Amino acid sequence: MDLFGKMKLNSYLCRAKKERDGKTPIIYCSQPFYTKNFLGQFNDCQYWCGDVNAPVVLPHAIHQKTIKKVAGIKGKVDYNILNCKLKEIQL
């Protein structure tokens, strides 16, 4: 299946999920991938930006970032910034 076919299938699955459960999926990916493959395709879905070290230029509900250190944890730690009201996201 080519990318266009996959996008049509994903769009169908998003609509089916919303109809079945009353919840809209959140799309998680980088901005370049979203812009290239999804922009304009999933307007009723929330976008969760996975660019941990880049500023977000697209409308988004959540932005994943990375910080260097958290006490008691070795290595870098990711965290998320909510860019909407919590009730707008149905998890």
Side-chain angles (χ1 to χ4, degrees):
M1 180 182 298
D2 65 2
L3 182 60
F4 182 72
K6 288 179 184 178
M7 287 172 44
K8 286 179 72 175
L9 176 61
N10 287 338
S11 181
Y12 168 78
L13 293 173
C14 284
R15 284 192 313 275
K17 171 78 173 157
K18 187 172 184 177
E19 289 174 10
R20 188 186 80 181
D21 300 332
K23 297 180 180 182
T24 303
I26 296 175
I27 298 172
Y28 173 84
C29 59
S30 69
Q31 291 180 97
F33 187 86
Y34 185 89
T35 300
K36 181 179 178 183
N37 299 297
F38 296 139
L39 193 62
Q41 300 296 319
F42 299 98
N43 295 332
D44 57 340
C45 293
Q46 295 278 8
Y47 171 50
W48 181 349
C49 179
D51 289 333
V52 295
N53 294 314
V56 183
V57 295
L58 296 171
H60 62 285
I62 304 169
H63 183 197
Q64 185 174 7
K65 300 277 291 174
T66 297
I67 56 177
K68 295 185 179 191
K69 186 168 180 169
V70 171
I73 300 175
K74 293 181 181 179
K76 293 181 179 180
V77 176
D78 291 347
Y79 68 101
N80 296 292
I81 300 170
L82 188 62
N83 191 41
C84 64
K85 295 182 189 230
L86 188 56
K87 66 182 180 180
E88 292 177 31
I89 300 175
Q90 299 178 357
L91 299 177

